[in-house]
Amino acid sequence: MADQPTAAIFFGDGTCDQNVPRTANVLLGPDIRRYTYDFEHTYNANGRYLVSFIGENRNAGVRNMDDPINQSFYVATSVVIDPGQGVNRSPILTRPAVDNAAVAEVFQHNPGAYDPDGDSLVFVLAPSRQAGIASDVVGCTPAPGPVPGFRYPNNLFSGTNGTQVPFSGPPFSTGGGQPLFEINRRTGQIVWNSPGQVGEYNFAFVVRSYRRTAFGYRLNDSVIRDM
C-alpha cells in the first residue's frame, strides 16, 4: 500500500473522516511497514455499523486481478451497539500478514485471532475488494465490490498454477493434482499447496464472531483482512 500520512475512514452511519492522522509508522521488515491511525467516533443509536477504510491503489505486479495499480484497497469491520448483549469487542488478529511463499512448497498463514469476550470465531475466504477513490464516495457510504478479474492464487487465468506437493496436513496430500488454496473455518489456518509462479498475490478473509444466546448462536461482528 502507498505511504499514507492520513486515512479515509467511513463510520457506517452516513458520516466519515477523510483525514484521520497516522499516529505510528513502524518498519517490520524490508519494504514492510505497519501504519496506525487512531480515531474516536460516537454513534447516536443502537444498531450494526460497518466501519471501513479505503486505501490508495494496489501494487502494479499483483498477478491474480486485473489492472491492480488502479484498484483501491478496501477493508472493514462491523460494530454492533446493543445494550441487551453487553460489552462486545471485535476479534483481534495478533500475527501480521508479512509471510512469503515459495514455488512448489506449501504456504501456511494463521492470523492468530482471538476474541476478547470469548465469543466463537469462524473464518471464511473472500475476494480482495475495492471501493473506488475515497474522495469520490457519495454520502460517506462506500459501495465496495470484488476487484475486477479477481482469482484465488491457485486458479489463475494464465501461466502455471502449480501442483500439490506431499504434505502431512491438514489437509493431507500425497502430491500431484490441482493446487489447493483453503482456510480452516475453525482455526483460521490458510494452506496453499502449492504456488506455481513467482509473483505477488492478494486475497482476503473474514473473521466472524458469534455469541451463544438463549435463541442460539448470534452473529456479533466481523473483521476483514486483505493480505
Side-chain angles (χ1 to χ4, degrees):
M1 194 178 76
D3 181 9
Q4 293 187 224
T6 61
I9 304 295
F10 301 83
F11 299 113
D13 59 356
T15 65
C16 57
D17 187 340
Q18 297 270 5
N19 294 290
V20 175
R22 183 171 63 197
T23 55
N25 180 353
V26 179
L27 181 66
L28 300 180
D31 298 322
I32 300 173
R33 289 186 174 274
R34 180 177 64 216
Y35 301 146
T36 302
Y37 304 88
D38 290 329
F39 59 90
E40 185 174 298
H41 184 72
T42 301
Y43 291 97
N44 295 320
N46 297 339
R48 182 182 299 275
Y49 301 94
L50 190 65
V51 183
S52 56
F53 161 81
I54 300 177
E56 295 181 15
N57 295 352
R58 297 171 184 268
N59 295 342
V62 178
R63 301 188 66 101
N64 60 321
M65 62 181 65
D66 294 341
D67 194 24
I69 199 170
N70 289 313
Q71 307 303 329
S72 60
F73 183 95
Y74 174 90
V75 291
T77 182
S78 62
V79 175
V80 176
I81 300 176
D82 181 355
Q85 78 172 19
V87 173
N88 181 63
R89 292 164 290 183
S90 298
I92 295 173
L93 312 186
T94 63
R95 296 175 185 158
V98 296
D99 300 329
N100 290 318
V103 169
E105 294 186 12
V106 175
F107 166 80
Q108 300 181 78
H109 171 77
N110 193 300
Y114 76 95
D115 190 281
D117 305 311
D119 296 329
S120 299
L121 300 181
V122 174
F123 303 82
V124 182
L125 283 177
S128 293
R129 310 191 96 190
Q130 57 79 33
I133 300 172
S135 58
D136 292 340
V137 173
V138 177
C140 284
T141 304
V147 296
F150 177 84
R151 310 275 285 189
Y152 285 108
N154 64 325
N155 190 28
L156 302 181
F157 280 120
S158 61
T160 175
N161 286 314
T163 59
Q164 292 185 41
V165 298
F167 182 55
S168 60
F172 174 79
S173 175
T174 58
Q178 296 296 314
L180 61 83
F181 187 88
E182 62 180 47
I183 191 168
N184 186 300
R185 291 176 59 86
R186 294 183 179 274
T187 67
Q189 183 81 358
I190 296 164
V191 176
W192 180 5
N193 185 0
S194 65
Q197 299 183 60
V198 170
E200 187 171 357
Y201 300 83
N202 282 173
F203 67 92
F205 59 90
V206 184
V207 186
R208 295 173 179 159
S209 168
Y210 290 86
R211 180 169 297 180
R212 191 169 187 173
T213 70
F215 304 100
Y217 280 98
R218 171 181 177 177
L219 176 63
N220 271 356
D221 48 34
S222 63
V223 172
I224 298 172
R225 167 173 281 185
D226 189 311
M227 60 181 286

